[in-house]
Amino acid sequence: MKRSLSPWERILLARHPQRPTFLTYLPELFDDFIELHGDRYFGDDPAIIAGFGFFDGESVAIIGQEKGQNVQEKIKRNFGMPHPEGYRKALRIMKLAEKFNIPIFSFIDTPGAYPGIGAEERGQAMAIAVNLKEMSLLRVPIIVTVLSEGGSGGALGIGVGDYILMLENAYYSVISPEGCASILFRDSSKAPEAASALKITAEDLFKLKLIDEIIPEPEEGAHTNPSETADNIKKALKRIYKNLKAKPIEVLLKERYEKLRNYGKFLEEVRK
Amino acid sequence: MFMDWLNKKKESIESKKSIFNNIPDGLWVKCPQCNQIIYSKDWLENYKVCIKCGFHSQLNFYERIALLTDEGSFKETDENIISFDILGFHDTKPYSQRLMEAQLETNLKEAVITGLASIEKIPVNLIVMDFRFIGGSMGSVVGEKVTRAIERSIDMKLPLISVIASGGARMQEGLISLFQMAKTSSAIARLDKEKILYICILTHPSTAGVLASFGSLGDVIIAEPGALIGFAGPRVIEQTIKQKLPAGFQKAEFVLQHGMIDAVVERKKLKSTVALLLRLLWRKK
């Protein structure tokens, strides 16, 4: 049944009120997690959780966007829409991980970076740009998992890595389907059409070679069995981390750059 | 055939003289900001900046080259990379039609043009965006040309200067466009490691995916007066926070005040300012 879901239906599943968020998976995937707060410049952004824990007995850095699971939590977490402080905190923790040669596991779940006055005043664009630049050079393996919503630059800001996974019903897009519908289709009710046109499902993105792997979800979606979903995530992460760990760092960095370098399709006219 | 025609058009990147001085007499321009009626000769001689209120009108690629580089020094690179409709994207019109229309309207093949030039006799590598081409949006071709330009700066040890004019990532290429942000930023990371100077010039508008990648990663960032500089568009912010934004929000002067850029430089001083930075930071004499 799930094979025939439309892109829009997948988005509805990705945004399902009962869909597990990062904090559901955190204790299932990692042991002894300790959260480390603050960007050391301005504040602490609850929309991004960062810290260290043990994965299968090994120390790892963990970065995750959290949307919140009830009304109070959602408000506290700003519905998973980070401010610049969140990106700067994430980078601080990732640099700390690099310093002690600890791999990084990043989890994406955001409708997008927060479009607000403070976020602009404190350099939302600049914070994201710096993360993209710095993550490309971090000398430790980085594994990125898109849990539910991969909202544009807000997602990419913690999303540069060596291997990109997506849960089966997650989506990852350059713009929200609603935003695209209102700008290009001139009609925000055309979000389902925009969702199809943008090619934002895990399946489409795997075909386009923009992501590396799809993690299966239970038949009716992740929310029907969160621990089975967590199990699937854990299995995939274990296998991938084992592979990445075996690579010398120079090889890993070279492959990361090549991966980034090869994004894009175009025609090139050869001149005589 | 179409490409030949485009090439022919482009060969005549005109001199500063012919772009800013050669105007038919007796034409008048109305300033879009203060409605002042300006004699078009004065308008162009002042680089499309209003003599009354200082409003900086957008410049296209040809004008930008004439403003910024030594006459006749610009040599385009990677001129033959063109876009195609990767996803079969169709909104109110097909993406392929949008591309064709933009090419016809601008005489350009894409929203970015890269090339080598000199500024007050100092050799530089240039990335120039043209907002008229689908809002200066970044898709595969913009990402590729920008990345090649960055790599060329590394290979040739040439300082890199980008002139930004962009609404962000190109929606019609979906996530591929978003990933151009990571691609260009990772190339900048290498440029930085090689200690090659990179200067960003932010013009109206410099927003979203381009600002959140190579557009704001310069060693020095300067902006033109009044340019809109931000991650989210003002309308999106107003809809989100459900209040009106203060006057001047996200304008170059506001962004300067908040510590995000190095300087706001009026257009007629842009070339000499860039040249001075090149002499101080790159040539060091």
Side-chain angles (χ1 to χ4, degrees), chain B residues 96-169:
Chain B
S96 51
Q97 188 187 331
R98 270 184 206 277
L99 285 169
M100 182 77 87
E101 286 171 0
Q103 286 164 346
L104 283 168
E105 188 202 319
T106 59
N107 294 333
L108 301 171
K109 288 178 187 169
E110 252 298 336
V112 77
I113 298 89
T114 58
L116 306 174
S118 64
I119 294 176
E120 293 187 3
K121 300 201 173 70
I122 303 168
V124 295
N125 188 17
L126 271 181
I127 293 170
V128 179
M129 306 192 79
D130 193 318
F131 189 76
R132 297 171 306 156
F133 198 105
I134 318 187
S137 55
M138 173 161 68
S140 293
V141 170
V142 171
E144 179 70 17
K145 287 174 83 167
V146 166
T147 304
R148 286 193 195 184
I150 297 164
E151 291 172 341
R152 186 171 291 109
S153 261
I154 296 171
D155 290 344
M156 298 177 70
K157 301 216 176 309
L158 274 180
L160 181 67
I161 295 163
S162 67
V163 182
I164 307 301
S166 175

Side-chain angles (χ1 to χ4, degrees), chain B residues 176-195:
Chain B
I176 299 171
S177 296
L178 189 78
F179 280 13
Q180 301 308 308
M181 292 167 63
K183 172 170 166 169
T184 54
S185 300
S186 68
I188 293 290
R190 295 188 155 207
L191 184 81
D192 188 27
K193 248 175 75 182
E194 297 297 322
K195 298 192 163 78

Side-chain angles (χ1 to χ4, degrees), chain A residues 120 133 261 263 267-268 271, chain B residues 80 82 151 183 192 232:
Chain A
E120 293 292 327
K133 178 186 164 203
R261 184 68 190 78
Y263 289 137
L267 303 172
E268 188 160 12
R271 303 249 100 195
Chain B
N80 296 315
I82 53 169
E151 291 172 341
K183 172 170 166 169
D192 188 27

